[in-house]
Amino acid sequence: MPALERLLRNLYGSTPQIDLDKKLARSRAAAPMTLDFQKLADGMKRANVDLMGITVQAMLELKGGKALLQPTGQAFPLEGPGPADAPSARRTFRVLDWKDPAKTRLVILP
C-alpha cells in the first residue's frame, strides 16, 4: 500500500505501521499538530482505501463537555454525557462524523 504509506507519512511526519491482515494503519505525529480528520478521510479515499474508523491517543483536557487537545487547544464536543471536567491526561478516543468538521465529535474510550 504505497499510497497509504505516503499519505500517512505526509500528514503526520513519521513512517506508519500498516497491517493489512488486521485492517489497521497506525501513525505517530512527529510534532504537535492540528488534526484534520476530513483531510485524512479524503486522502484515504484518493488512495483507494476504506476508512472504517479513526481512533486517536493524545493528551486531552475535558472541560465543559468538550475535549481540548493539548498542546494545540483544538476542541471537539464529546458524544453523550461526557465525564466530569478533568485535567490534561493521555486518553484514547474514537472520532465520530469525521467527514463533516461541523459534526465531528469524540467518544472517550475506557
Side-chain angles (χ1 to χ4, degrees), residues 12-103:
Y12 303 114
S14 64
T15 302
Q17 299 172 343
I18 299 173
D19 187 334
L20 296 177
D21 293 332
K22 293 181 181 178
K23 298 181 181 179
L24 174 82
R26 181 179 301 156
S27 191
R28 182 180 189 100
M33 64 186 312
T34 301
L35 299 176
D36 186 343
F37 302 117
Q38 184 179 20
K39 186 175 181 179
L40 172 63
D42 290 343
M44 298 282 278
K45 187 175 182 178
R46 282 193 307 277
N48 201 26
V49 177
D50 286 334
L51 181 58
M52 312 270 300
I54 300 172
T55 303
V56 179
Q57 189 175 65
M59 293 297 287
L60 283 183
E61 179 181 348
L62 304 177
K63 193 177 215 176
K66 290 194 176 234
L68 302 168
L69 273 71
Q70 301 298 328
T72 65
Q74 189 175 8
F76 295 98
L78 292 171
E79 174 71 11
D85 290 1
S88 188
R90 188 167 206 73
R91 300 177 193 275
T92 303
F93 56 92
R94 181 173 298 128
V95 181
L96 304 175
D97 286 330
W98 61 82
K99 293 178 183 176
D100 184 357
K103 294 181 181 179

